[in-house]
Amino acid sequence: MSENLSHFSVLLEESIDALNIKEDGIYIDGTFGRGGHSKAILSRLGAKGRLIAIDQDPQAIVYAKEYFDDPRFEIVYGSFEQLADYCRERGLLGKIDGLLLDLGVSSPQLDDADRGFSFMREGPLDMRMNNKSGLSAKQWLAEVDEKTLKLALQNYGEERFSGRIARQIKEAMAENKLNTTLELAELVKRASPKTEKNKHPATRTFQAIRIAVNRELDVLKNVLQASIEVLAPQGRLAVISFHSLEDRIVKVFIRDQSRFQDLFPDSPIQIEVIEPVLKRIGKPVFPSAEECRLNARSRSAVLRVAERIGSAE
């Protein structure tokens, strides 16, 4: 493999600082990618520290095995949705000192036309994070009905012209005229009566289809819930989001888990209340102007951090 670690890891220093790394701690990088964040975590761990990285992209796994020869490091092939299971298998429930989630598509995935994530490069309509499993974007578009597709474009892409685009996609699929990323991008462009300045008209459609194909928002909700089970007292959760749908889920999760929750709010008497399990750490962190200049993909990023409540032994 000729790849290296020269790609940009978004909010690198800020996210690693947020984990408040202990030299002998146990940490999880839930989205290994090409290991930028993992490399930084390992640089702060001592000889007894431990890092478990997770990725569902087969290419990321190959990369990790080739470039990360470190006894403190373990790579797990799978979705971070199974986070609690991975920790349970290793006897690490409630023992994780920090969990980092860098959401969305990695730069290598975007830059590889064969993965089908980019509307700027000719490639197959795939868009799967794990291209060895599940329906490709083309298969999903063939199976989904027009109404469901319209709702996906609306809810996951916040696309104003979802109805027009959904109708034309289904017509093109029926005529076998939609097979590549550039064909989809051109279709969306034709179907959009208005475009946003400095934004490709296919941006929202590609985002929506990718989210639907990979179940990204459901998976995010599940891993956030699992974080409560796996984090040790005073363990940190750090999440980097790249669009408002993800960030809203993270924001609401941290807010709700940082409050007393009344299980029966309509009852005239207080029956049962769940105490907070997290506390928010600091305010949302955004990339610096310099980082945005060096890496345009970081412009929409936001980092939110929370800590598991409890006393460390």
Side-chain angles (χ1 to χ4, degrees):
M1 256 177 141
S2 60
E3 293 179 81
N4 55 47
L5 286 172
S6 63
H7 74 281
F8 289 96
S9 295
V10 175
L11 289 165
L12 179 60
E13 291 299 321
E14 294 89 341
S15 58
I16 303 306
D17 287 344
L19 291 175
N20 196 28
I21 292 175
K22 301 182 293 186
E23 286 193 357
D24 59 350
I26 305 172
Y27 295 85
I28 294 179
D29 180 354
T31 43
F32 175 78
R34 290 302 181 272
H37 290 105
S38 283
K39 182 180 180 182
I41 292 171
L42 286 168
S43 73
R44 299 196 187 188
L45 289 177
K48 294 183 179 179
R50 183 175 178 185
L51 173 63
I52 300 168
I54 303 168
D55 210 295
Q56 61 183 327
D57 184 343
Q59 294 177 15
I61 301 302
V62 172
Y63 185 89
K65 290 180 178 178
E66 182 168 352
Y67 288 97
F68 280 70
D69 182 16
D70 190 317
R72 303 169 300 168
F73 176 80
E74 178 186 0
I75 185 71
V76 176
Y77 177 34
S79 169
F80 59 44
E81 187 175 19
Q82 277 76 55
L83 173 67
D85 291 335
Y86 302 145
C87 290
R88 188 177 294 109
E89 290 165 2
R90 292 160 177 78
L92 295 176
L93 283 179
K95 298 180 181 180
I96 303 302
D97 295 298
L99 168 63
L100 174 64
L101 302 173
D102 180 7
L103 306 176
V105 186
S106 69
S107 292
Q109 288 172 327
L110 280 170
D111 293 336
D112 184 352
D114 289 339
R115 301 302 298 271
F117 288 108
S118 175
F119 46 75
M120 303 297 290
R121 296 177 173 85
E122 181 79 12
L125 282 174
D126 195 318
M127 301 193 199
R128 290 172 293 174
M129 300 290 190
N130 181 350
N131 57 0
K132 304 294 184 183
S133 177
L135 295 178
S136 67
K138 182 180 178 181
Q139 292 169 325
W140 183 80
L141 289 171
E143 290 193 6
V144 74
D145 60 70
E146 183 180 322
K147 181 180 179 181
T148 302
L149 177 56
K150 176 181 181 292
L151 288 173
L153 298 179
Q154 222 171 25
N155 296 333
Y156 298 154
E158 300 175 298
E159 173 56 65
R160 289 184 295 166
F161 309 114
S162 57
R164 295 167 61 104
I165 294 170
R167 182 170 62 255
Q168 293 193 31
I169 286 177
K170 291 304 296 182
E171 289 173 357
M173 291 298 298
E175 298 173 7
N176 196 28
K177 293 181 178 179
L178 193 56
N179 298 290
T180 72
T181 51
L182 292 188
E183 287 173 349
L184 176 57
E186 184 59 31
L187 181 152
V188 175
K189 188 176 180 180
R190 292 195 306 269
S192 304
K194 296 180 182 179
T195 58
E196 298 176 59
K197 187 177 180 181
N198 299 324
K199 193 166 192 174
H200 194 288
T203 302
R204 295 179 183 277
T205 294
F206 269 68
Q207 173 183 298
I209 295 172
R210 190 200 81 219
I211 288 173
V213 165
N214 295 287
R215 299 178 45 252
E216 290 179 35
L217 301 187
D218 289 337
V219 170
L220 174 58
K221 292 174 184 176
N222 290 338
V223 73
L224 290 174
Q225 195 62 44
S227 71
I228 295 172
E229 190 176 3
V230 307
L231 285 173
Q234 300 181 14
R236 292 284 182 91
L237 169 68
V239 187
I240 303 171
S241 306
F242 288 88
H243 57 75
S244 59
L245 298 175
E246 290 174 340
D247 184 49
R248 193 176 303 133
I249 289 171
V250 177
K251 177 182 178 181
V252 170
F253 173 78
I254 292 175
R255 182 199 67 194
D256 289 349
Q257 299 300 328
S258 301
R259 294 175 172 176
F260 286 91
Q261 297 179 61
D262 189 347
L263 293 182
F264 303 93
D266 297 326
S267 173
I269 60 172
Q270 191 176 84
I271 299 175
E272 186 173 357
V273 174
I274 298 179
E275 294 188 0
V277 293
L278 295 177
K279 66 177 179 181
R280 187 180 64 188
I281 302 296
K283 296 181 178 180
V285 179
F286 301 92
S288 66
E290 178 65 9
E291 178 170 353
C292 292
R293 185 186 70 79
L294 293 171
N295 179 18
R297 289 172 181 164
S298 70
R299 287 179 297 187
S300 60
V302 54
L303 168 67
R304 295 184 187 273
V305 185
E307 183 176 287
R308 187 72 164 89
I309 291 175
S311 299
E313 293 181 0

mmCIF file with all atom_site columns, all heavy atoms in Angstrom, residues 203-224:
data_model
loop_
_atom_site.group_PDB
_atom_site.id
_atom_site.type_symbol
_atom_site.label_atom_id
_atom_site.label_alt_id
_atom_site.label_comp_id
_atom_site.label_asym_id
_atom_site.label_entity_id
_atom_site.label_seq_id
_atom_site.pdbx_PDB_ins_code
_atom_site.Cartn_x
_atom_site.Cartn_y
_atom_site.Cartn_z
_atom_site.occupancy
_atom_site.B_iso_or_equiv
_atom_site.pdbx_formal_charge
_atom_site.auth_seq_id
_atom_site.auth_comp_id
_atom_site.auth_asym_id
_atom_site.auth_atom_id
_atom_site.pdbx_PDB_model_num
ATOM 1   N N   . THR A 1 203 ? -25.054 18.042 -3.693 1.00 0.00 ? 203 THR A N   1
ATOM 2   C CA  . THR A 1 203 ? -24.501 17.831 -2.344 1.00 0.00 ? 203 THR A CA  1
ATOM 3   C C   . THR A 1 203 ? -25.511 17.202 -1.397 1.00 0.00 ? 203 THR A C   1
ATOM 4   O O   . THR A 1 203 ? -25.228 16.198 -0.721 1.00 0.00 ? 203 THR A O   1
ATOM 5   C CB  . THR A 1 203 ? -24.018 19.174 -1.758 1.00 0.00 ? 203 THR A CB  1
ATOM 6   O OG1 . THR A 1 203 ? -23.036 19.744 -2.623 1.00 0.00 ? 203 THR A OG1 1
ATOM 7   C CG2 . THR A 1 203 ? -23.425 18.965 -0.373 1.00 0.00 ? 203 THR A CG2 1
ATOM 8   N N   . ARG A 1 204 ? -26.688 17.776 -1.322 1.00 0.00 ? 204 ARG A N   1
ATOM 9   C CA  . ARG A 1 204 ? -27.692 17.308 -0.366 1.00 0.00 ? 204 ARG A CA  1
ATOM 10  C C   . ARG A 1 204 ? -28.225 15.919 -0.730 1.00 0.00 ? 204 ARG A C   1
ATOM 11  O O   . ARG A 1 204 ? -28.469 15.084 0.144  1.00 0.00 ? 204 ARG A O   1
ATOM 12  C CB  . ARG A 1 204 ? -28.841 18.313 -0.288 1.00 0.00 ? 204 ARG A CB  1
ATOM 13  C CG  . ARG A 1 204 ? -28.415 19.675 0.272  1.00 0.00 ? 204 ARG A CG  1
ATOM 14  C CD  . ARG A 1 204 ? -29.591 20.639 0.311  1.00 0.00 ? 204 ARG A CD  1
ATOM 15  N NE  . ARG A 1 204 ? -29.189 21.957 0.767  1.00 0.00 ? 204 ARG A NE  1
ATOM 16  C CZ  . ARG A 1 204 ? -29.063 22.315 2.038  1.00 0.00 ? 204 ARG A CZ  1
ATOM 17  N NH1 . ARG A 1 204 ? -29.303 21.425 2.983  1.00 0.00 ? 204 ARG A NH1 1
ATOM 18  N NH2 . ARG A 1 204 ? -28.687 23.531 2.371  1.00 0.00 ? 204 ARG A NH2 1
ATOM 19  N N   . THR A 1 205 ? -28.388 15.664 -2.027 1.00 0.00 ? 205 THR A N   1
ATOM 20  C CA  . THR A 1 205 ? -28.887 14.355 -2.465 1.00 0.00 ? 205 THR A CA  1
ATOM 21  C C   . THR A 1 205 ? -27.891 13.258 -2.152 1.00 0.00 ? 205 THR A C   1
ATOM 22  O O   . THR A 1 205 ? -28.258 12.182 -1.650 1.00 0.00 ? 205 THR A O   1
ATOM 23  C CB  . THR A 1 205 ? -29.202 14.388 -3.974 1.00 0.00 ? 205 THR A CB  1
ATOM 24  O OG1 . THR A 1 205 ? -30.303 15.275 -4.203 1.00 0.00 ? 205 THR A OG1 1
ATOM 25  C CG2 . THR A 1 205 ? -29.558 13.004 -4.489 1.00 0.00 ? 205 THR A CG2 1
ATOM 26  N N   . PHE A 1 206 ? -26.620 13.503 -2.438 1.00 0.00 ? 206 PHE A N   1
ATOM 27  C CA  . PHE A 1 206 ? -25.601 12.494 -2.148 1.00 0.00 ? 206 PHE A CA  1
ATOM 28  C C   . PHE A 1 206 ? -25.522 12.233 -0.640 1.00 0.00 ? 206 PHE A C   1
ATOM 29  O O   . PHE A 1 206 ? -25.384 11.087 -0.208 1.00 0.00 ? 206 PHE A O   1
ATOM 30  C CB  . PHE A 1 206 ? -24.240 12.945 -2.686 1.00 0.00 ? 206 PHE A CB  1
ATOM 31  C CG  . PHE A 1 206 ? -23.962 12.487 -4.089 1.00 0.00 ? 206 PHE A CG  1
ATOM 32  C CD1 . PHE A 1 206 ? -24.706 12.994 -5.153 1.00 0.00 ? 206 PHE A CD1 1
ATOM 33  C CD2 . PHE A 1 206 ? -22.986 11.547 -4.357 1.00 0.00 ? 206 PHE A CD2 1
ATOM 34  C CE1 . PHE A 1 206 ? -24.470 12.572 -6.444 1.00 0.00 ? 206 PHE A CE1 1
ATOM 35  C CE2 . PHE A 1 206 ? -22.733 11.115 -5.651 1.00 0.00 ? 206 PHE A CE2 1
ATOM 36  C CZ  . PHE A 1 206 ? -23.484 11.627 -6.704 1.00 0.00 ? 206 PHE A CZ  1
ATOM 37  N N   . GLN A 1 207 ? -25.605 13.296 0.157  1.00 0.00 ? 207 GLN A N   1
ATOM 38  C CA  . GLN A 1 207 ? -25.578 13.123 1.615  1.00 0.00 ? 207 GLN A CA  1
ATOM 39  C C   . GLN A 1 207 ? -26.747 12.265 2.068  1.00 0.00 ? 207 GLN A C   1
ATOM 40  O O   . GLN A 1 207 ? -26.588 11.333 2.875  1.00 0.00 ? 207 GLN A O   1
ATOM 41  C CB  . GLN A 1 207 ? -25.641 14.483 2.306  1.00 0.00 ? 207 GLN A CB  1
ATOM 42  C CG  . GLN A 1 207 ? -25.777 14.384 3.830  1.00 0.00 ? 207 GLN A CG  1
ATOM 43  C CD  . GLN A 1 207 ? -25.905 15.741 4.499  1.00 0.00 ? 207 GLN A CD  1
ATOM 44  O OE1 . GLN A 1 207 ? -25.000 16.563 4.413  1.00 0.00 ? 207 GLN A OE1 1
ATOM 45  N NE2 . GLN A 1 207 ? -27.032 15.992 5.160  1.00 0.00 ? 207 GLN A NE2 1
ATOM 46  N N   . ALA A 1 208 ? -27.937 12.558 1.560  1.00 0.00 ? 208 ALA A N   1
ATOM 47  C CA  . ALA A 1 208 ? -29.136 11.840 1.990  1.00 0.00 ? 208 ALA A CA  1
ATOM 48  C C   . ALA A 1 208 ? -29.071 10.367 1.627  1.00 0.00 ? 208 ALA A C   1
ATOM 49  O O   . ALA A 1 208 ? -29.394 9.497  2.452  1.00 0.00 ? 208 ALA A O   1
ATOM 50  C CB  . ALA A 1 208 ? -30.372 12.479 1.346  1.00 0.00 ? 208 ALA A CB  1
ATOM 51  N N   . ILE A 1 209 ? -28.649 10.066 0.403  1.00 0.00 ? 209 ILE A N   1
ATOM 52  C CA  . ILE A 1 209 ? -28.576 8.664  -0.026 1.00 0.00 ? 209 ILE A CA  1
ATOM 53  C C   . ILE A 1 209 ? -27.528 7.912  0.780  1.00 0.00 ? 209 ILE A C   1
ATOM 54  O O   . ILE A 1 209 ? -27.748 6.773  1.213  1.00 0.00 ? 209 ILE A O   1
ATOM 55  C CB  . ILE A 1 209 ? -28.280 8.577  -1.532 1.00 0.00 ? 209 ILE A CB  1
ATOM 56  C CG1 . ILE A 1 209 ? -29.463 9.162  -2.330 1.00 0.00 ? 209 ILE A CG1 1
ATOM 57  C CG2 . ILE A 1 209 ? -28.021 7.134  -1.954 1.00 0.00 ? 209 ILE A CG2 1
ATOM 58  C CD1 . ILE A 1 209 ? -29.203 9.300  -3.811 1.00 0.00 ? 209 ILE A CD1 1
ATOM 59  N N   . ARG A 1 210 ? -26.386 8.561  1.014  1.00 0.00 ? 210 ARG A N   1
ATOM 60  C CA  . ARG A 1 210 ? -25.317 7.931  1.803  1.00 0.00 ? 210 ARG A CA  1
ATOM 61  C C   . ARG A 1 210 ? -25.800 7.622  3.226  1.00 0.00 ? 210 ARG A C   1
ATOM 62  O O   . ARG A 1 210 ? -25.562 6.534  3.756  1.00 0.00 ? 210 ARG A O   1
ATOM 63  C CB  . ARG A 1 210 ? -24.110 8.861  1.860  1.00 0.00 ? 210 ARG A CB  1
ATOM 64  C CG  . ARG A 1 210 ? -22.855 8.231  2.433  1.00 0.00 ? 210 ARG A CG  1
ATOM 65  C CD  . ARG A 1 210 ? -21.896 9.291  2.897  1.00 0.00 ? 210 ARG A CD  1
ATOM 66  N NE  . ARG A 1 210 ? -22.260 9.802  4.203  1.00 0.00 ? 210 ARG A NE  1
ATOM 67  C CZ  . ARG A 1 210 ? -22.172 11.091 4.551  1.00 0.00 ? 210 ARG A CZ  1
ATOM 68  N NH1 . ARG A 1 210 ? -21.771 12.002 3.697  1.00 0.00 ? 210 ARG A NH1 1
ATOM 69  N NH2 . ARG A 1 210 ? -22.509 11.453 5.781  1.00 0.00 ? 210 ARG A NH2 1
ATOM 70  N N   . ILE A 1 211 ? -26.483 8.567  3.849  1.00 0.00 ? 211 ILE A N   1
ATOM 71  C CA  . ILE A 1 211 ? -26.994 8.363  5.204  1.00 0.00 ? 211 ILE A CA  1
ATOM 72  C C   . ILE A 1 211 ? -27.988 7.209  5.232  1.00 0.00 ? 211 ILE A C   1
ATOM 73  O O   . ILE A 1 211 ? -27.955 6.360  6.135  1.00 0.00 ? 211 ILE A O   1
ATOM 74  C CB  . ILE A 1 211 ? -27.645 9.654  5.735  1.00 0.00 ? 211 ILE A CB  1
ATOM 75  C CG1 . ILE A 1 211 ? -26.564 10.702 6.039  1.00 0.00 ? 211 ILE A CG1 1
ATOM 76  C CG2 . ILE A 1 211 ? -28.469 9.385  6.988  1.00 0.00 ? 211 ILE A CG2 1
ATOM 77  C CD1 . ILE A 1 211 ? -27.117 12.060 6.409  1.00 0.00 ? 211 ILE A CD1 1
ATOM 78  N N   . ALA A 1 212 ? -28.872 7.161  4.231  1.00 0.00 ? 212 ALA A N   1
ATOM 79  C CA  . ALA A 1 212 ? -29.876 6.092  4.181  1.00 0.00 ? 212 ALA A CA  1
ATOM 80  C C   . ALA A 1 212 ? -29.230 4.740  3.960  1.00 0.00 ? 212 ALA A C   1
ATOM 81  O O   . ALA A 1 212 ? -29.569 3.757  4.642  1.00 0.00 ? 212 ALA A O   1
ATOM 82  C CB  . ALA A 1 212 ? -30.888 6.398  3.078  1.00 0.00 ? 212 ALA A CB  1
ATOM 83  N N   . VAL A 1 213 ? -28.301 4.651  3.025  1.00 0.00 ? 213 VAL A N   1
ATOM 84  C CA  . VAL A 1 213 ? -27.652 3.381  2.701  1.00 0.00 ? 213 VAL A CA  1
ATOM 85  C C   . VAL A 1 213 ? -26.903 2.817  3.910  1.00 0.00 ? 213 VAL A C   1
ATOM 86  O O   . VAL A 1 213 ? -26.930 1.608  4.171  1.00 0.00 ? 213 VAL A O   1
ATOM 87  C CB  . VAL A 1 213 ? -26.693 3.563  1.505  1.00 0.00 ? 213 VAL A CB  1
ATOM 88  C CG1 . VAL A 1 213 ? -25.740 2.372  1.366  1.00 0.00 ? 213 VAL A CG1 1
ATOM 89  C CG2 . VAL A 1 213 ? -27.483 3.747  0.215  1.00 0.00 ? 213 VAL A CG2 1
ATOM 90  N N   . ASN A 1 214 ? -26.269 3.701  4.676  1.00 0.00 ? 214 ASN A N   1
ATOM 91  C CA  . ASN A 1 214 ? -25.451 3.267  5.814  1.00 0.00 ? 214 ASN A CA  1
ATOM 92  C C   . ASN A 1 214 ? -26.162 3.362  7.165  1.00 0.00 ? 214 ASN A C   1
ATOM 93  O O   . ASN A 1 214 ? -25.542 3.068  8.189  1.00 0.00 ? 214 ASN A O   1
ATOM 94  C CB  . ASN A 1 214 ? -24.162 4.096  5.855  1.00 0.00 ? 214 ASN A CB  1
ATOM 95  C CG  . ASN A 1 214 ? -23.271 3.846  4.664  1.00 0.00 ? 214 ASN A CG  1
ATOM 96  O OD1 . ASN A 1 214 ? -22.638 2.809  4.557  1.00 0.00 ? 214 ASN A OD1 1
ATOM 97  N ND2 . ASN A 1 214 ? -23.225 4.805  3.739  1.00 0.00 ? 214 ASN A ND2 1
ATOM 98  N N   . ARG A 1 215 ? -27.437 3.776  7.162  1.00 0.00 ? 215 ARG A N   1
ATOM 99  C CA  . ARG A 1 215 ? -28.202 3.926  8.414  1.00 0.00 ? 215 ARG A CA  1
ATOM 100 C C   . ARG A 1 215 ? -27.451 4.808  9.419  1.00 0.00 ? 215 ARG A C   1
ATOM 101 O O   . ARG A 1 215 ? -27.461 4.552  10.624 1.00 0.00 ? 215 ARG A O   1
ATOM 102 C CB  . ARG A 1 215 ? -28.467 2.560  9.070  1.00 0.00 ? 215 ARG A CB  1
ATOM 103 C CG  . ARG A 1 215 ? -29.269 1.576  8.289  1.00 0.00 ? 215 ARG A CG  1
ATOM 104 C CD  . ARG A 1 215 ? -29.423 0.233  9.008  1.00 0.00 ? 215 ARG A CD  1
ATOM 105 N NE  . ARG A 1 215 ? -29.747 0.374  10.401 1.00 0.00 ? 215 ARG A NE  1
ATOM 106 C CZ  . ARG A 1 215 ? -28.883 0.113  11.393 1.00 0.00 ? 215 ARG A CZ  1
ATOM 107 N NH1 . ARG A 1 215 ? -27.632 -0.289 11.133 1.00 0.00 ? 215 ARG A NH1 1
ATOM 108 N NH2 . ARG A 1 215 ? -29.242 0.273  12.653 1.00 0.00 ? 215 ARG A NH2 1
ATOM 109 N N   . GLU A 1 216 ? -26.829 5.841  8.951  1.00 0.00 ? 216 GLU A N   1
ATOM 110 C CA  . GLU A 1 216 ? -25.878 6.584  9.773  1.00 0.00 ? 216 GLU A CA  1
ATOM 111 C C   . GLU A 1 216 ? -26.486 7.194  11.029 1.00 0.00 ? 216 GLU A C   1
ATOM 112 O O   . GLU A 1 216 ? -25.862 7.173  12.096 1.00 0.00 ? 216 GLU A O   1
ATOM 113 C CB  . GLU A 1 216 ? -25.202 7.675  8.934  1.00 0.00 ? 216 GLU A CB  1
ATOM 114 C CG  . GLU A 1 216 ? -24.249 7.113  7.902  1.00 0.00 ? 216 GLU A CG  1
ATOM 115 C CD  . GLU A 1 216 ? -23.602 8.196  7.053  1.00 0.00 ? 216 GLU A CD  1
ATOM 116 O OE1 . GLU A 1 216 ? -23.336 9.289  7.584  1.00 0.00 ? 216 GLU A OE1 1
ATOM 117 O OE2 . GLU A 1 216 ? -23.375 7.963  5.863  1.00 0.00 ? 216 GLU A OE2 1
ATOM 118 N N   . LEU A 1 217 ? -27.671 7.753  10.934 1.00 0.00 ? 217 LEU A N   1
ATOM 119 C CA  . LEU A 1 217 ? -28.237 8.430  12.099 1.00 0.00 ? 217 LEU A CA  1
ATOM 120 C C   . LEU A 1 217 ? -28.694 7.426  13.158 1.00 0.00 ? 217 LEU A C   1
ATOM 121 O O   . LEU A 1 217 ? -28.507 7.663  14.364 1.00 0.00 ? 217 LEU A O   1
ATOM 122 C CB  . LEU A 1 217 ? -29.392 9.340  11.668 1.00 0.00 ? 217 LEU A CB  1
ATOM 123 C CG  . LEU A 1 217 ? -29.018 10.424 10.650 1.00 0.00 ? 217 LEU A CG  1
ATOM 124 C CD1 . LEU A 1 217 ? -30.188 11.373 10.425 1.00 0.00 ? 217 LEU A CD1 1
ATOM 125 C CD2 . LEU A 1 217 ? -27.779 11.204 11.089 1.00 0.00 ? 217 LEU A CD2 1
ATOM 126 N N   . ASP A 1 218 ? -29.262 6.311  12.737 1.00 0.00 ? 218 ASP A N   1
ATOM 127 C CA  . ASP A 1 218 ? -29.645 5.271  13.702 1.00 0.00 ? 218 ASP A CA  1
ATOM 128 C C   . ASP A 1 218 ? -28.408 4.687  14.377 1.00 0.00 ? 218 ASP A C   1
ATOM 129 O O   . ASP A 1 218 ? -28.398 4.446  15.598 1.00 0.00 ? 218 ASP A O   1
ATOM 130 C CB  . ASP A 1 218 ? -30.422 4.157  13.004 1.00 0.00 ? 218 ASP A CB  1
ATOM 131 C CG  . ASP A 1 218 ? -31.818 4.580  12.582 1.00 0.00 ? 218 ASP A CG  1
ATOM 132 O OD1 . ASP A 1 218 ? -32.351 5.527  13.185 1.00 0.00 ? 218 ASP A OD1 1
ATOM 133 O OD2 . ASP A 1 218 ? -32.371 3.977  11.644 1.00 0.00 ? 218 ASP A OD2 1
ATOM 134 N N   . VAL A 1 219 ? -27.373 4.444  13.584 1.00 0.00 ? 219 VAL A N   1
ATOM 135 C CA  . VAL A 1 219 ? -26.128 3.908  14.129 1.00 0.00 ? 219 VAL A CA  1
ATOM 136 C C   . VAL A 1 219 ? -25.522 4.877  15.137 1.00 0.00 ? 219 VAL A C   1
ATOM 137 O O   . VAL A 1 219 ? -25.037 4.470  16.208 1.00 0.00 ? 219 VAL A O   1
ATOM 138 C CB  . VAL A 1 219 ? -25.132 3.598  13.001 1.00 0.00 ? 219 VAL A CB  1
ATOM 139 C CG1 . VAL A 1 219 ? -23.741 3.280  13.554 1.00 0.00 ? 219 VAL A CG1 1
ATOM 140 C CG2 . VAL A 1 219 ? -25.636 2.419  12.159 1.00 0.00 ? 219 VAL A CG2 1
ATOM 141 N N   . LEU A 1 220 ? -25.563 6.172  14.826 1.00 0.00 ? 220 LEU A N   1
ATOM 142 C CA  . LEU A 1 220 ? -25.028 7.178  15.740 1.00 0.00 ? 220 LEU A CA  1
ATOM 143 C C   . LEU A 1 220 ? -25.785 7.171  17.064 1.00 0.00 ? 220 LEU A C   1
ATOM 144 O O   . LEU A 1 220 ? -25.174 7.199  18.142 1.00 0.00 ? 220 LEU A O   1
ATOM 145 C CB  . LEU A 1 220 ? -25.101 8.561  15.092 1.00 0.00 ? 220 LEU A CB  1
ATOM 146 C CG  . LEU A 1 220 ? -24.719 9.747  15.977 1.00 0.00 ? 220 LEU A CG  1
ATOM 147 C CD1 . LEU A 1 220 ? -23.305 9.604  16.525 1.00 0.00 ? 220 LEU A CD1 1
ATOM 148 C CD2 . LEU A 1 220 ? -24.868 11.057 15.205 1.00 0.00 ? 220 LEU A CD2 1
ATOM 149 N N   . LYS A 1 221 ? -27.099 7.116  17.004 1.00 0.00 ? 221 LYS A N   1
ATOM 150 C CA  . LYS A 1 221 ? -27.894 7.085  18.236 1.00 0.00 ? 221 LYS A CA  1
ATOM 151 C C   . LYS A 1 221 ? -27.535 5.868  19.081 1.00 0.00 ? 221 LYS A C   1
ATOM 152 O O   . LYS A 1 221 ? -27.431 5.953  20.313 1.00 0.00 ? 221 LYS A O   1
ATOM 153 C CB  . LYS A 1 221 ? -29.387 7.072  17.899 1.00 0.00 ? 221 LYS A CB  1
ATOM 154 C CG  . LYS A 1 221 ? -29.894 8.365  17.286 1.00 0.00 ? 221 LYS A CG  1
ATOM 155 C CD  . LYS A 1 221 ? -31.348 8.231  16.844 1.00 0.00 ? 221 LYS A CD  1
ATOM 156 C CE  . LYS A 1 221 ? -31.830 9.488  16.141 1.00 0.00 ? 221 LYS A CE  1
ATOM 157 N NZ  . LYS A 1 221 ? -33.216 9.334  15.628 1.00 0.00 ? 221 LYS A NZ  1
ATOM 158 N N   . ASN A 1 222 ? -27.334 4.736  18.413 1.00 0.00 ? 222 ASN A N   1
ATOM 159 C CA  . ASN A 1 222 ? -27.020 3.499  19.143 1.00 0.00 ? 222 ASN A CA  1
ATOM 160 C C   . ASN A 1 222 ? -25.645 3.550  19.803 1.00 0.00 ? 222 ASN A C   1
ATOM 161 O O   . ASN A 1 222 ? -25.474 3.094  20.942 1.00 0.00 ? 222 ASN A O   1
ATOM 162 C CB  . ASN A 1 222 ? -27.109 2.303  18.194 1.00 0.00 ? 222 ASN A CB  1
ATOM 163 C CG  . ASN A 1 222 ? -28.534 2.002  17.772 1.00 0.00 ? 222 ASN A CG  1
ATOM 164 O OD1 . ASN A 1 222 ? -29.491 2.388  18.443 1.00 0.00 ? 222 ASN A OD1 1
ATOM 165 N ND2 . ASN A 1 222 ? -28.693 1.308  16.657 1.00 0.00 ? 222 ASN A ND2 1
ATOM 166 N N   . VAL A 1 223 ? -24.652 4.100  19.094 1.00 0.00 ? 223 VAL A N   1
ATOM 167 C CA  . VAL A 1 223 ? -23.311 4.139  19.683 1.00 0.00 ? 223 VAL A CA  1
ATOM 168 C C   . VAL A 1 223 ? -23.246 5.161  20.818 1.00 0.00 ? 223 VAL A C   1
ATOM 169 O O   . VAL A 1 223 ? -22.539 4.951  21.812 1.00 0.00 ? 223 VAL A O   1
ATOM 170 C CB  . VAL A 1 223 ? -22.229 4.415  18.618 1.00 0.00 ? 223 VAL A CB  1
ATOM 171 C CG1 . VAL A 1 223 ? -22.252 5.856  18.136 1.00 0.00 ? 223 VAL A CG1 1
ATOM 172 C CG2 . VAL A 1 223 ? -20.840 4.078  19.173 1.00 0.00 ? 223 VAL A CG2 1
ATOM 173 N N   . LEU A 1 224 ? -23.987 6.245  20.703 1.00 0.00 ? 224 LEU A N   1
ATOM 174 C CA  . LEU A 1 224 ? -24.012 7.217  21.800 1.00 0.00 ? 224 LEU A CA  1
ATOM 175 C C   . LEU A 1 224 ? -24.611 6.583  23.052 1.00 0.00 ? 224 LEU A C   1
ATOM 176 O O   . LEU A 1 224 ? -24.093 6.772  24.164 1.00 0.00 ? 224 LEU A O   1
ATOM 177 C CB  . LEU A 1 224 ? -24.817 8.450  21.395 1.00 0.00 ? 224 LEU A CB  1
ATOM 178 C CG  . LEU A 1 224 ? -24.181 9.357  20.335 1.00 0.00 ? 224 LEU A CG  1
ATOM 179 C CD1 . LEU A 1 224 ? -25.145 10.466 19.930 1.00 0.00 ? 224 LEU A CD1 1
ATOM 180 C CD2 . LEU A 1 224 ? -22.869 9.959  20.837 1.00 0.00 ? 224 LEU A CD2 1
#
